Protein backbone atom coordinates (compact mmCIF):
# COMPACT_ATOMS: atom_id res chain seq x y z
CA UNK A 1 0.00 0.00 0.00
CA UNK A 2 1.34 3.42 -0.94
CA UNK A 3 0.63 6.46 1.22
CA UNK A 4 0.37 10.07 0.10
CA UNK A 5 1.68 12.22 2.96
CA UNK A 6 1.23 15.49 1.08
CA UNK A 7 -2.47 16.10 1.81
CA UNK A 8 -4.43 17.26 4.87
CA UNK A 9 -1.29 17.81 6.92
CA UNK A 10 -3.31 19.46 9.70
CA UNK A 11 -4.87 16.16 10.80
CA UNK A 12 -3.54 14.28 13.77
CA UNK A 13 -1.24 11.32 13.16
CA UNK A 14 -3.90 8.95 14.49
CA UNK A 15 -6.60 10.30 12.21
CA UNK A 16 -4.27 10.38 9.23
CA UNK A 17 -3.19 6.77 9.80
CA UNK A 18 -6.76 5.54 10.09
CA UNK A 19 -7.53 7.28 6.80
CA UNK A 20 -5.22 4.80 5.08
CA UNK A 21 -6.52 1.61 6.67
CA UNK A 22 -8.32 -0.81 4.38
CA UNK A 23 -9.92 -4.16 5.05
CA UNK A 24 -9.80 -6.80 2.34
CA UNK A 25 -11.77 -10.03 2.30
CA UNK A 26 -10.42 -13.06 0.48
CA UNK A 27 -12.94 -15.83 -0.31
CA UNK A 28 -10.21 -18.54 -0.40
CA UNK A 29 -12.35 -20.45 -2.88
CA UNK A 30 -9.39 -21.97 -4.70
CA UNK A 31 -7.83 -25.38 -4.14
CA UNK A 32 -5.31 -25.86 -1.34
CA UNK A 33 -1.89 -24.44 -2.14
CA UNK A 34 1.25 -22.93 -0.66
CA UNK A 35 0.86 -19.27 -1.56
CA UNK A 36 2.72 -16.16 -0.50
CA UNK A 37 2.21 -12.42 -0.46
CA UNK A 38 4.57 -9.50 -0.88
CA UNK A 39 4.68 -5.77 -1.44
CA UNK A 40 3.96 -4.71 -5.02
CA UNK A 41 4.66 -0.96 -5.06
CA UNK A 42 5.36 0.33 -8.55
CA UNK A 43 9.09 0.81 -9.05
CA UNK A 44 9.97 -0.23 -5.49
CA UNK A 45 8.86 -3.87 -5.25
CA UNK A 46 12.42 -5.21 -5.31
CA UNK A 47 13.68 -3.08 -2.44
CA UNK A 48 10.58 -3.55 -0.28
CA UNK A 49 10.59 -7.33 -0.63
CA UNK A 50 14.36 -7.49 -0.08
CA UNK A 51 13.89 -5.61 3.20
CA UNK A 52 11.26 -8.06 4.40
CA UNK A 53 7.75 -7.29 3.15
CA UNK A 54 6.80 -10.87 2.27
CA UNK A 55 5.22 -13.87 3.96
CA UNK A 56 3.50 -17.23 3.50
CA UNK A 57 -0.23 -17.64 2.85
CA UNK A 58 -1.25 -21.29 3.23
CA UNK A 59 -4.63 -22.44 1.94
CA UNK A 60 -6.03 -25.85 2.94
CA UNK A 61 -9.09 -27.81 1.84
CA UNK A 62 -10.90 -31.06 2.61
CA UNK A 63 -9.19 -33.00 -0.17
CA UNK A 64 -5.75 -32.23 1.23
CA UNK A 65 -6.83 -32.91 4.84
CA UNK A 66 -8.11 -36.36 3.84
CA UNK A 67 -4.66 -37.51 2.68
CA UNK A 68 -2.09 -39.22 4.94
CA UNK A 69 0.45 -36.38 4.68
CA UNK A 70 2.73 -35.20 7.50
CA UNK A 71 0.94 -32.67 9.71
CA UNK A 72 1.50 -30.32 12.63
CA UNK A 73 5.17 -29.92 13.53
CA UNK A 74 6.07 -32.27 10.68
CA UNK A 75 4.64 -29.85 8.10
CA UNK A 76 7.20 -27.04 7.79
CA UNK A 77 7.22 -24.01 5.44
CA UNK A 78 10.71 -22.99 4.29
CA UNK A 79 11.17 -19.53 2.80
CA UNK A 80 14.50 -19.39 0.95
CA UNK A 81 16.15 -16.14 -0.04
CA UNK A 82 19.58 -14.69 -0.67
CA UNK A 83 20.62 -11.47 1.06
CA UNK A 84 23.63 -9.23 1.61
CA UNK A 85 24.42 -7.48 4.90
CA UNK A 86 26.13 -4.32 6.07
CA UNK A 87 28.66 -4.43 8.91
CA UNK A 88 25.95 -3.42 11.41
CA UNK A 89 23.74 -6.37 10.40
CA UNK A 90 21.27 -4.38 8.31
CA UNK A 91 20.38 -5.47 4.78
CA UNK A 92 22.51 -4.05 1.98
CA UNK A 93 20.21 -3.70 -0.99
CA UNK A 94 22.23 -3.55 -4.19
CA UNK A 95 20.08 -4.05 -7.30
CA UNK A 96 23.12 -3.83 -9.62
CA UNK A 97 21.40 -1.07 -11.51
CA UNK A 98 18.29 -3.04 -12.38
CA UNK A 99 19.93 -6.38 -13.21
CA UNK A 100 18.75 -7.92 -9.93
CA UNK A 101 19.58 -7.89 -6.22
CA UNK A 102 21.51 -10.91 -4.98
CA UNK A 103 23.71 -11.59 -1.96
CA UNK A 104 26.22 -13.88 -0.29
CA UNK A 105 24.08 -15.30 2.54
CA UNK A 106 21.23 -17.80 2.23
CA UNK A 107 18.41 -17.26 4.70
CA UNK A 108 15.83 -19.92 5.56
CA UNK A 109 12.87 -18.42 7.43
CA UNK A 110 15.16 -15.50 8.25
CA UNK A 111 18.06 -17.58 9.66
CA UNK A 112 21.38 -18.00 7.83
CA UNK A 113 22.20 -21.62 6.94
CA UNK A 114 20.14 -23.11 9.80
CA UNK A 115 20.23 -26.67 11.16
CA UNK A 116 16.99 -28.49 11.97
CA UNK A 117 16.80 -31.53 14.23
CA UNK A 118 14.46 -34.08 12.66
CA UNK A 119 13.12 -37.43 13.79
CA UNK A 120 13.53 -40.59 11.75
CA UNK A 121 10.20 -40.23 9.98
CA UNK A 122 8.52 -38.35 7.10
CA UNK A 123 8.40 -34.55 6.98
CA UNK A 124 6.54 -32.29 4.60
CA UNK A 125 8.37 -29.13 3.51
CA UNK A 126 6.65 -26.28 1.67
CA UNK A 127 9.53 -24.54 -0.10
CA UNK A 128 9.36 -21.01 -1.54
CA UNK A 129 12.07 -19.23 -3.47
CA UNK A 130 11.53 -15.68 -2.18
CA UNK A 131 14.77 -14.32 -3.65
CA UNK A 132 14.76 -11.23 -5.83
CA UNK A 133 17.05 -12.59 -8.54
CA UNK A 134 18.57 -15.92 -7.44
CA UNK A 135 17.59 -19.34 -8.76
CA UNK A 136 18.01 -22.63 -6.94
CA UNK A 137 18.29 -26.27 -7.92
CA UNK A 138 17.42 -28.28 -4.83
CA UNK A 139 19.09 -31.61 -4.04
CA UNK A 140 20.11 -33.61 -0.97
CA UNK A 141 23.79 -34.13 -0.20
CA UNK A 142 23.05 -37.84 0.23
CA UNK A 143 21.97 -37.98 -3.45
CA UNK A 144 18.78 -39.76 -2.37
CA UNK A 145 15.65 -38.73 -4.30
CA UNK A 146 13.10 -36.22 -3.04
CA UNK A 147 9.38 -36.98 -3.26
CA UNK A 148 7.55 -33.97 -4.67
CA UNK A 149 3.82 -33.65 -3.99
CA UNK A 150 2.85 -30.11 -5.05
CA UNK A 151 3.71 -27.11 -7.19
CA UNK A 152 2.62 -23.44 -7.11
CA UNK A 153 -1.04 -24.30 -7.65
CA UNK A 154 -1.30 -27.09 -5.08
CA UNK A 155 -1.18 -30.89 -5.07
CA UNK A 156 0.06 -32.71 -8.13
CA UNK A 157 -1.91 -35.64 -9.53
CA UNK A 158 0.58 -38.09 -8.01
CA UNK A 159 3.85 -38.01 -6.07
CA UNK A 160 7.02 -37.98 -8.16
CA UNK A 161 10.56 -38.96 -7.15
CA UNK A 162 13.15 -36.50 -8.38
CA UNK A 163 16.83 -36.06 -7.60
CA UNK A 164 16.87 -32.32 -8.37
CA UNK A 165 14.22 -29.60 -8.44
CA UNK A 166 15.06 -26.32 -10.22
CA UNK A 167 13.29 -23.30 -8.72
CA UNK A 168 13.03 -19.84 -10.19
CA UNK A 169 12.09 -16.84 -8.10
CA UNK A 170 8.51 -17.05 -6.70
CA UNK A 171 8.10 -20.75 -7.53
CA UNK A 172 6.90 -23.07 -4.76
CA UNK A 173 7.32 -26.80 -4.38
CA UNK A 174 6.14 -29.16 -1.66
CA UNK A 175 8.23 -32.22 -0.89
CA UNK A 176 8.18 -35.15 1.51
CA UNK A 177 11.53 -36.33 2.88
CA UNK A 178 11.64 -39.63 4.76
CA UNK A 179 14.44 -39.38 7.32
CA UNK A 180 13.95 -43.00 8.41
CA UNK A 181 16.36 -43.79 5.56
CA UNK A 182 19.14 -42.33 7.73
CA UNK A 183 20.71 -43.43 11.01
CA UNK A 184 20.55 -41.43 14.22
CA UNK A 185 23.48 -39.02 14.25
CA UNK A 186 23.54 -38.62 10.48
CA UNK A 187 23.29 -35.22 8.86
CA UNK A 188 22.09 -34.38 5.37
CA UNK A 189 22.34 -31.00 3.66
CA UNK A 190 19.76 -29.41 1.39
CA UNK A 191 21.95 -28.06 -1.39
CA UNK A 192 21.71 -25.59 -4.24
CA UNK A 193 23.60 -27.42 -6.98
CA UNK A 194 23.82 -24.25 -9.10
CA UNK A 195 26.33 -22.64 -6.73
CA UNK A 196 29.54 -23.38 -4.88
CA UNK A 197 29.91 -23.09 -1.09
CA UNK A 198 28.69 -21.02 0.71
CA UNK A 199 25.73 -20.45 -1.63
CA UNK A 200 25.76 -24.12 -2.55
CA UNK A 201 24.43 -25.09 0.89
CA UNK A 202 20.95 -24.06 2.06
CA UNK A 203 20.37 -25.81 5.41
CA UNK A 204 21.27 -28.96 7.35
CA UNK A 205 19.04 -31.68 8.76
CA UNK A 206 20.41 -33.47 11.86
CA UNK A 207 18.74 -36.86 12.33
CA UNK A 208 18.02 -37.87 15.92
CA UNK A 209 16.48 -40.69 17.94
CA UNK A 210 15.10 -44.12 17.11
CA UNK A 211 12.93 -44.88 14.12
CA UNK A 212 9.44 -43.49 14.70
CA UNK A 213 6.25 -45.43 14.01
CA UNK A 214 5.21 -43.73 10.80
CA UNK A 215 3.23 -46.28 8.86
CA UNK A 216 1.35 -43.87 6.62
CA UNK A 217 2.35 -44.41 3.01
CA UNK A 218 1.98 -41.62 0.50
CA UNK A 219 -1.01 -42.35 -1.73
CA UNK A 220 -0.39 -43.18 -5.39
CA UNK A 221 -2.92 -40.50 -6.32
CA UNK A 222 -2.97 -37.11 -4.62
CA UNK A 223 -5.58 -35.13 -6.54
CA UNK A 224 -7.86 -35.25 -9.56
CA UNK A 225 -6.55 -32.57 -11.91
CA UNK A 226 -8.45 -31.61 -15.02
CA UNK A 227 -6.15 -31.74 -18.03
CA UNK A 228 -6.65 -28.75 -20.32
CA UNK A 229 -6.43 -29.89 -23.95
CA UNK A 230 -4.79 -27.73 -26.66
CA UNK A 231 -7.79 -28.24 -28.94
CA UNK A 232 -9.94 -26.40 -26.35
CA UNK A 233 -7.89 -23.21 -26.77
CA UNK A 234 -9.57 -20.44 -28.74
CA UNK A 235 -6.29 -18.64 -29.47
CA UNK A 236 -2.54 -18.63 -28.89
CA UNK A 237 -0.63 -15.56 -27.76
CA UNK A 238 3.16 -15.12 -27.72
CA UNK A 239 5.01 -13.08 -25.12
CA UNK A 240 8.70 -12.42 -25.69
CA UNK A 241 10.87 -11.45 -22.73
CA UNK A 242 13.99 -9.42 -23.46
CA UNK A 243 15.80 -6.08 -23.01
CA UNK A 244 15.57 -2.97 -25.15
CA UNK A 245 18.29 -0.27 -25.33
CA UNK A 246 17.74 2.92 -23.39
CA UNK A 247 19.88 6.00 -23.86
CA UNK A 248 20.22 6.94 -20.22
CA UNK A 249 23.20 7.28 -17.91
CA UNK A 250 22.66 4.08 -15.94
CA UNK A 251 23.71 0.45 -15.91
CA UNK A 252 22.66 -1.69 -17.58
CA UNK A 253 21.81 0.67 -20.49
CA UNK A 254 18.49 -1.06 -21.15
CA UNK A 255 14.95 -1.48 -19.93
CA UNK A 256 13.23 -4.85 -19.60
CA UNK A 257 10.35 -5.45 -22.00
CA UNK A 258 7.54 -7.88 -22.86
CA UNK A 259 6.93 -7.98 -26.62
CA UNK A 260 9.16 -4.92 -26.88
CA UNK A 261 6.94 -2.83 -24.60
CA UNK A 262 7.67 -1.49 -21.15
CA UNK A 263 4.90 -1.49 -18.53
CA UNK A 264 2.04 0.89 -19.20
CA UNK A 265 -0.77 0.66 -16.61
CA UNK A 266 -3.17 2.30 -19.08
CA UNK A 267 -2.61 -0.26 -21.84
CA UNK A 268 -3.73 -3.90 -21.91
CA UNK A 269 -1.53 -6.23 -23.96
CA UNK A 270 -4.17 -8.99 -24.01
CA UNK A 271 -7.95 -9.18 -23.51
CA UNK A 272 -9.03 -12.81 -22.96
CA UNK A 273 -12.76 -13.47 -22.50
CA UNK A 274 -14.05 -14.83 -19.21
CA UNK A 275 -14.34 -18.61 -19.51
CA UNK A 276 -12.04 -18.92 -22.54
CA UNK A 277 -9.12 -21.33 -22.73
CA UNK A 278 -5.95 -19.88 -24.27
CA UNK A 279 -2.40 -21.00 -24.94
CA UNK A 280 0.30 -18.53 -23.99
CA UNK A 281 3.80 -19.01 -25.37
CA UNK A 282 6.67 -17.53 -23.35
CA UNK A 283 9.86 -16.91 -25.33
CA UNK A 284 13.23 -15.89 -23.90
CA UNK A 285 14.81 -13.58 -26.45
CA UNK A 286 18.51 -14.39 -26.75
CA UNK A 287 20.65 -11.45 -25.62
CA UNK A 288 23.91 -10.74 -23.74
CA UNK A 289 22.03 -10.34 -20.42
CA UNK A 290 21.58 -14.04 -19.63
CA UNK A 291 19.38 -13.90 -16.54
CA UNK A 292 16.37 -16.02 -15.69
CA UNK A 293 12.98 -14.44 -16.42
CA UNK A 294 10.23 -16.22 -14.43
CA UNK A 295 6.85 -15.22 -15.93
CA UNK A 296 4.26 -14.94 -13.14
CA UNK A 297 0.56 -14.62 -13.99
CA UNK A 298 -1.62 -13.04 -11.31
CA UNK A 299 -4.64 -15.07 -10.17
CA UNK A 300 -4.71 -17.43 -13.16
CA UNK A 301 -3.18 -20.89 -12.86
CA UNK A 302 -1.85 -22.69 -15.92
CA UNK A 303 -0.52 -26.06 -17.02
CA UNK A 304 2.73 -26.40 -18.97
CA UNK A 305 2.17 -28.04 -22.36
CA UNK A 306 5.77 -28.25 -23.52
CA UNK A 307 9.21 -26.80 -22.98
CA UNK A 308 11.42 -26.36 -26.04
CA UNK A 309 9.31 -28.86 -27.96
CA UNK A 310 9.44 -31.53 -25.24
CA UNK A 311 6.87 -32.40 -22.59
CA UNK A 312 7.13 -30.66 -19.21
CA UNK A 313 9.47 -32.00 -16.56
CA UNK A 314 7.88 -34.09 -13.82
CA UNK A 315 8.65 -31.44 -11.20
CA UNK A 316 6.59 -28.82 -13.09
CA UNK A 317 3.46 -30.85 -13.73
CA UNK A 318 0.05 -29.86 -12.39
CA UNK A 319 -1.16 -26.31 -11.77
CA UNK A 320 1.32 -23.45 -11.69
CA UNK A 321 1.37 -19.65 -11.66
CA UNK A 322 5.12 -19.13 -12.25
CA UNK A 323 7.65 -20.91 -14.44
CA UNK A 324 11.37 -20.83 -15.03
CA UNK A 325 12.40 -19.23 -18.32
CA UNK A 326 16.13 -19.45 -19.03
CA UNK A 327 18.10 -18.19 -22.02
CA UNK A 328 16.70 -19.55 -25.26
CA UNK A 329 13.65 -21.21 -23.67
CA UNK A 330 10.33 -21.45 -25.49
CA UNK A 331 7.53 -22.66 -23.21
CA UNK A 332 3.82 -23.10 -23.99
CA UNK A 333 1.22 -23.07 -21.22
CA UNK A 334 -2.55 -23.46 -21.29
CA UNK A 335 -5.02 -21.73 -18.97
CA UNK A 336 -8.71 -21.03 -18.48
CA UNK A 337 -9.78 -17.54 -17.44
CA UNK A 338 -12.52 -18.58 -15.02
CA UNK A 339 -12.05 -16.15 -12.14
CA UNK A 340 -13.33 -12.60 -12.50
CA UNK A 341 -13.57 -9.94 -15.14
CA UNK A 342 -11.15 -7.09 -14.58
CA UNK A 343 -7.53 -5.97 -14.78
CA UNK A 344 -4.71 -8.41 -14.10
CA UNK A 345 -0.90 -8.38 -14.21
CA UNK A 346 1.73 -10.65 -15.67
CA UNK A 347 5.39 -9.90 -14.98
CA UNK A 348 8.90 -11.24 -14.64
CA UNK A 349 9.60 -12.29 -11.05
CA UNK A 350 13.13 -11.04 -11.09
CA UNK A 351 11.84 -8.13 -9.03
CA UNK A 352 14.30 -5.60 -10.37
CA UNK A 353 13.27 -6.55 -13.91
CA UNK A 354 9.65 -6.04 -12.90
CA UNK A 355 10.50 -2.64 -11.42
CA UNK A 356 12.16 -1.65 -14.72
CA UNK A 357 9.63 -2.48 -16.61
CA UNK A 358 9.07 -6.17 -17.47
CA UNK A 359 5.39 -6.20 -16.54
CA UNK A 360 2.14 -6.02 -18.51
CA UNK A 361 -1.53 -5.55 -17.89
CA UNK A 362 -4.11 -7.93 -19.32
CA UNK A 363 -7.87 -7.56 -18.99
CA UNK A 364 -10.35 -10.42 -18.63
CA UNK A 365 -13.45 -9.13 -20.41
Amino acid sequence: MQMDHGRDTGRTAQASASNYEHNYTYPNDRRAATLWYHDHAIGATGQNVYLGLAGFYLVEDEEERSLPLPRGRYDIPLMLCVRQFNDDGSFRYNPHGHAGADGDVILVNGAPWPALQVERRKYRFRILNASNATTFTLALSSALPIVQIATDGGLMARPVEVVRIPMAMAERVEVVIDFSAYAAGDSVVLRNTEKQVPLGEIMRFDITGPAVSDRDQLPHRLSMIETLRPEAAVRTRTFTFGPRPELKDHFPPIYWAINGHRFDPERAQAEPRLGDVEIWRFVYERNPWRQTHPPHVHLVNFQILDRNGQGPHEYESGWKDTLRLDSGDNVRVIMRFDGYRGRYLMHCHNLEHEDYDMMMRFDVV
Side-chain angles (χ1 to χ4, degrees), residues 10-32:
R11 296 180 182 176
T12 65
Q14 182 177 2
S16 179
S18 66
N19 204 37
Y20 294 104
E21 291 179 2
H22 299 276
N23 292 322
Y24 297 91
T25 300
Y26 294 87
N28 290 327
D29 54 2
R30 58 182 299 157
R31 68 199 303 261

Side-chain angles (χ1 to χ4, degrees), residues 1-12:
M1 179 170 59
Q2 293 176 292
M3 294 187 180
D4 178 0
H5 296 287
R7 295 178 296 173
D8 297 329
T9 54
R11 296 180 182 176
T12 65

